[in-house]
Amino acid sequence: MQFHHHGYVSGDPRVQPAAGVGVDRPAELPDEVDVLIVGSGPAGMLTAAQLSQFPGVTTRIVERRGGRLAIGQADGIQARSVETFQAFGFAERIIAEAYRITEVAFWKPDPADPSRIVRTARTLDDPAGISEFPHLIVNQARVLDYFAEVMANAPTRMSPDYGLEFRSLEVSGEGDYPVTVTLLHTAGPDAGRERVVRAKYVVGADGARSKVRESIGCTLAGDRANHAWGVMDVLAVTDFPDIRTKCAIQSGTGGSILLIPREGGHLFRMYVDLGEVPQDDAGAVRKTTIEQIVAQANEILHPYTLDVRNVAWHSVYEVGHRLTDRFDDVLPDQRGTRTPRVFITGDACHTHSAKAGQGMNVSMQDGFNLGWKLGHVLEGRSPESLLSTYSAERQVIAKDLIDFDKEWSTLMAKKPEEFDNPSELEDFYVRTAEFPAGFMTHYGPSMLIAAPAHQDLATGFTIGKRFKSAPVVRVCDTNPVQLGHHATADGRWRIYVFADAALAGAPSPVADFAEWIANAPDSPLAATPSGADRDAWFDVKVIYQQDHTSLDIGTVPAAFKPQVGPFRLTDYEKVYGTDPAADIFELRGLDRGGVVVVVRPDQYVANVLPLTATAELAAFFAPLLPVAKPAEA
Ligand code: FAD
C-alpha cells in the first residue's frame, strides 16, 4: 500500500483524501448526476465502488430498501471474487471472517441399504491450484458492507441513497443529461413523493425483477419453469459427521441437499431441492414452511438426524436459467449508430441456479467490467464507443456460464442409478474446476482485446482471460510479493514489461522499450494529462529475469521509476526480480527474449507483444485514447 507521498498521513491510510466531487458531496440526491445506479446488490455496489475511485464523476446509487441488507440471499464467494476483493483492498479481512471451502464431500445411498446415506467421495475444492485465493462462504450482506466501506473511504465519499425506488426512465438523446429517471421515496418523511433525476448514464442493478430492464424493452428468456430450493440458515445439533464440510448429498428417495457450512463456526445453510416448479403452481411452492424444509432434510440425511435450534433465515428460492439478449438500451438495428445510455447488470440480465453459486459472483464481475469503462468515458480518457463493449462482452459470458450451469445442475439432479459411471459427478466437478472458481471468462477479440498474434510469448497469460498472478521479489525492499496483487481497482491500465536476459542498465530491448514508453509521442503515456503523475493512467512495471540480489535499482530505466506526488518522489515499487523458488518466467511460459503483457483495469489480459512491437502497442491503444496517435507507418 502506498501513501505519505503527498505528505505525512497520520490516520488510517485506507481513508483516501476527499477529492473532486467528494469534497462537498451533497447529502441529498442532486437533480443531475453522471451515473445513476439502481439497486445496491452485489452488481450495483461493485459498480459504485469502482466509480467511487473517479473523483471527476458524480455517481449516486439508489436503493428501495430503507437501509443495508441484513440477512439472507447468496453466500458463495468464488476465488475470482476474492481476487476482486483484493483489488478493492478487503480480501484479507473478509477471508478472516469467512468459512473457507477446501474439500467437498459426496454422499449417496448405501448400496447395501438405500434408505441410508454414506460418504462415497471427497474431492479437493481447487485440485489444480487455479488461484492463490480461497473459495469462501460469507453472507452477501457482509460483502455489500465492505463495498460500502470502500466507497465511503474513496475520494468521492460515496454512500447509497436508501429509500428510493426506481419507477421509470426515458432516454431523450438530447442535452448533457439525456436520461430522465422517475424515482419514488419509499421511506422517511418524503415517503410516497416522486422525484425526477436526470443522468448521463443509468445502470440497472435492480435484480431479477428489474424495472430498468423493463424500461429498455428487454425480457429475460430461458427455462420455462423455475427450480425451487428450500433454503435455511440454521443453528442445529446433528450427528451428521460432515456438517462443517461442503457436501452434495443424494438420498435413495431422490431427494438432495447442498450443505454449505457458514462463517462463524456454527451456522450452516442447507439447500433442500424442491424440484421443478410446475407452470400451474401459482406460488404454491413458496408456501413451503420451514418445518417442511427441516422434515425433508431429516428424511434425506437418514440415518443421521438434524435438531434445528435456531433459524437465522429461510426462504424458498425459486430461480430458472434466464438471460436477456442484450445488456444495454441499444437495439440490434441501432448497433454502430449510437452508444448506450442505459445498462443492466447482474440478476437483471441473467439468473442462475443456486447450486453452482454463480449469481452474486457473476453479478460482481458485470460491475467490474462496466465501472471502469464508465469512469474512463466520463473523465474523457476514452471514447464513448468503449461502452458498447460491456454488453458485447458480458452477454456472451453470461450465456456460456448458463449453459455450463445447466449441465452442472442437471448432473446434480440425476438419481444415482441414472449415472453412466459412479464417479461421474465428482469427475465433472474436478475436471471443470475453473467454473466454480469463476475463471471461465474468456473475452474474444475486440477494441479491448487483441487477437492472439503473439500469445506464444506468454503462454500462461492467455489473452482475454484474467491475469493470473505469480510470485516475484520486489527489488527495492527485497519483499516476496504476488505481482497481480498490486493491481488495485484504481481504473488504471497495467503494462507488465518482462525483460530480456540482459541485466538492468545494459543496452537491450527492454532498455529501448523503456525509452519509447517514457518519451515517444506515440506512447500511450503521452495521453496522460499534463500535471498528473506519469503513472496516473498507466501503471508500468518491469520484471527482470535475475533475482533481486543481481539487480542494481540505480541502473533501472526511469520509465519504471516514475516521479510522483507534489514532492516528485521516486516510486521504487515497480521493479521486480524473479523468485528463484518459483520463477515467473517458467510458471507463466514467458519468452526469455522479453515480452510485454497489457492488462485492463478489470484485470483481464488485453494484449501480449514482443518488446520491439511498440508500433503495435501504440496502435492498440490509439482507439482507446482520443489523444494518442499510432506511429507513422
Ligand atoms: P440483487 O442482489 O437482487 O440486488 C438488487 C437490489 O436492487 C436489491 O437491493 C433490491 O432491493 C434493489 N431494487 C430492486 N428493485 C428496485 C427498484 N425498482 N428501485 C430501487 N432498488 C431496487 N442466490 C443464491 O445463490 N442463493 C440463495 O439462497 C439466494 N437467495 C436469494 C433470495 C432472494 C430474496 C434474492 C432476491 C436473491 C437470492 N439469491 C440467492 C440471488 C443472489 O442474491 C443474486 O444472484 C445476487 O444478489 C445478484 O446480485 P444483483 O446485484 O444483480 O441483484
Side-chain angles (χ1 to χ4, degrees):
M1 189 174 195
Q2 293 191 314
F3 52 99
H4 290 321
H5 52 298
H6 286 247
Y8 187 75
V9 176
S10 107
D12 182 350
R14 289 168 196 83
V15 183
Q16 298 171 262
V21 299
V23 172
D24 50 8
R25 182 183 186 274
E28 269 288 301
L29 180 66
D31 292 337
E32 289 171 346
V33 299
D34 292 328
V35 183
L36 186 76
I37 300 169
V38 182
S40 71
M45 290 296 266
L46 194 143
T47 313
Q50 175 67 89
L51 280 163
S52 72
Q53 305 297 324
F54 289 83
V57 178
T58 300
T59 306
R60 301 295 283 230
I61 174 167
V62 293
E63 165 59 53
R64 74 169 163 211
R65 264 196 326 268
R68 68 180 276 275
L69 178 74
I71 47 169
Q73 304 198 201
D75 57 7
I77 313 284
Q78 300 170 336
R80 171 64 190 146
S81 295
V82 186
E83 194 172 82
T84 304
F85 299 162
Q86 153 76 34
F88 282 92
F90 61 86
E92 279 176 24
R93 284 193 295 150
I94 203 164
I95 290 170
E97 75 181 71
Y99 172 87
R100 179 175 186 160
I101 302 178
T102 48
E103 285 191 12
V104 183
F106 294 84
W107 288 72
K108 293 197 178 132
D110 183 348
D113 174 2
S115 73
R116 304 161 61 91
I117 53 165
V118 286
R119 189 195 301 115
T120 55
R122 286 175 191 275
T123 63
L124 287 177
D125 187 63
D126 178 10
I130 277 174
S131 173
E132 70 279 14
F133 288 105
H135 184 181
L136 303 180
I137 301 292
V138 71
N139 186 247
Q140 180 169 326
R142 292 295 296 140
V143 174
L144 303 183
D145 287 346
Y146 279 108
F147 279 121
E149 188 186 281
V150 171
M151 282 181 230
N153 292 343
T156 48
R157 295 288 187 271
M158 278 171 56
S159 60
D161 293 288
Y162 290 114
L164 276 168
E165 182 175 280
F166 171 91
R167 302 305 290 258
S168 62
L169 67 73
E170 219 173 290
V171 184
S172 73
E174 284 163 20
D176 287 342
Y177 299 90
V179 193
T180 305
V181 182
T182 304
L183 304 168
L184 182 80
H185 287 273
T186 59
D190 293 325
R193 186 170 66 81
E194 274 197 349
R195 175 75 209 278
V196 172
V197 174
R198 297 193 315 134
K200 289 182 178 160
Y201 298 101
V202 170
V203 179
D206 50 341
R209 295 196 170 83
S210 169
K211 277 262 186 306
V212 177
R213 178 183 69 223
E214 210 178 291
S215 71
I216 58 168
C218 284
T219 44
L220 273 179
D223 292 354
R224 291 179 56 219
N226 276 339
H227 199 103
W229 288 270
V231 195
M232 53 181 184
D233 289 342
V234 294
L235 297 167
V237 174
T238 179
D239 54 355
F240 181 64
D242 284 352
I243 200 69
R244 297 303 304 159
T245 304
K246 179 179 172 184
C247 295
I249 306 165
Q250 289 177 316
S251 75
T253 59
S256 71
I257 287 177
L258 186 66
L259 165 63
I260 313 280
R262 287 283 298 269
E263 65 275 16
H266 297 281
L267 191 74
F268 59 88
R269 171 170 290 192
M270 277 186 172
Y271 284 100
V272 178
D273 198 336
L274 302 178
E276 291 286 304
V277 185
Q279 299 243 300
D280 57 358
D281 177 70
V285 74
R286 274 179 243 148
K287 298 198 180 102
T288 310
T289 63
I290 180 68
E291 289 76 19
Q292 288 169 314
I293 298 170
V294 173
Q296 200 161 336
N298 267 294
E299 210 174 289
I300 294 166
L301 287 174
H302 181 77
Y304 305 104
T305 58
L306 189 67
D307 174 10
V308 173
R309 302 275 169 94
N310 178 263
V311 180
W313 178 74
H314 77 99
S315 171
V316 172
Y317 181 45
E318 227 192 303
V319 70
H321 295 99
R322 295 205 177 84
L323 181 67
T324 57
D325 57 348
R326 57 190 159 90
F327 288 8
D328 64 32
D329 65 324
V330 179
L331 299 171
D333 62 353
Q334 298 173 326
R335 293 258 170 241
T337 63
R338 74 173 185 92
T339 51
R341 287 285 164 186
V342 183
F343 306 86
I344 44 176
T345 59
D347 277 12
C349 41
H350 47 75
T351 58
H352 308 259
S353 120
K355 278 188 176 153
Q358 289 288 313
M360 167 160 57
N361 297 283
V362 186
S363 302
M364 288 192 284
Q365 292 307 315
D366 286 348
F368 208 9
N369 183 293
L370 179 60
W372 71 270
K373 293 175 181 174
L374 282 166
H376 280 211
V377 169
L378 283 160
E379 284 202 339
R381 299 192 198 185
S382 290
E384 285 182 344
S385 55
L386 183 64
L387 298 175
S388 301
T389 64
Y390 165 71
S391 181
E393 290 190 334
R394 296 305 295 174
Q395 205 272 349
V396 177
I397 296 305
K399 181 170 180 330
D400 289 351
L401 289 173
I402 284 175
D403 290 346
F404 206 92
D405 186 3
K406 273 187 181 168
E407 206 177 337
W408 171 236
S409 309
T410 310
L411 269 183
M412 289 274 289
K414 267 188 174 180
K415 296 203 173 76
E417 61 274 19
E418 292 168 354
F419 283 104
D420 295 336
N421 81 63
S423 63
E424 194 178 339
L425 186 61
E426 301 87 279
D427 292 349
F428 186 83
Y429 191 87
V430 171
R431 198 172 65 243
T432 57
E434 256 195 319
F435 170 65
F439 295 113
M440 276 223 342
T441 300
H442 191 166
Y443 295 131
S446 70
M447 73 188 288
L448 281 173
I449 298 286
H454 306 289
Q455 184 66 75
D456 56 317
L457 299 179
T459 53
F461 291 129
T462 308
I463 297 175
K465 296 196 86 169
R466 75 85 168 77
F467 180 84
K468 182 169 166 47
S469 183
V472 286
V473 177
R474 195 162 49 202
V475 173
C476 66
D477 57 7
T478 76
N479 277 201
V481 292
Q482 280 281 344
L483 184 60
H485 296 196
H486 294 163
T488 57
D490 54 13
R492 286 189 294 173
W493 284 90
R494 257 88 207 174
I495 299 177
Y496 295 101
V497 182
F498 293 92
D500 55 281
L503 272 173
S508 66
V510 78
D512 294 344
F513 181 87
E515 173 60 25
W516 174 81
I517 199 145
N519 299 314
D522 62 338
S523 159
L525 270 65
T528 311
S530 66
D533 285 347
R534 199 68 179 148
D535 65 348
W537 287 8
F538 294 91
D539 180 17
V540 185
K541 298 182 191 296
V542 66
I543 305 94
Y544 287 98
Q545 294 184 30
Q546 294 77 17
D547 80 282
H548 67 280
T549 58
S550 321
L551 293 162
D552 173 1
I553 202 153
T555 61
V556 171
F560 308 124
K561 297 181 297 186
Q563 292 180 335
V564 295
F567 309 110
R568 312 314 295 151
L569 303 177
T570 303
D571 184 349
Y572 292 109
E573 297 197 345
K574 296 177 192 283
V575 182
Y576 303 88
T578 50
D579 178 344
D583 182 345
I584 191 169
F585 282 77
E586 294 296 321
L587 290 175
R588 296 291 171 264
L590 303 176
D591 193 278
R592 296 278 173 186
V595 54
V596 178
V597 178
V598 179
V599 179
R600 298 166 21 157
D602 57 356
Q603 303 181 322
Y604 284 84
V605 178
N607 207 345
V608 168
L609 294 159
L611 290 170
T612 48
T614 51
E616 239 178 289
L617 184 58
F620 172 77
F621 276 115
L624 294 164
L625 299 167
V627 290
K629 299 267 185 306
E632 293 287 317

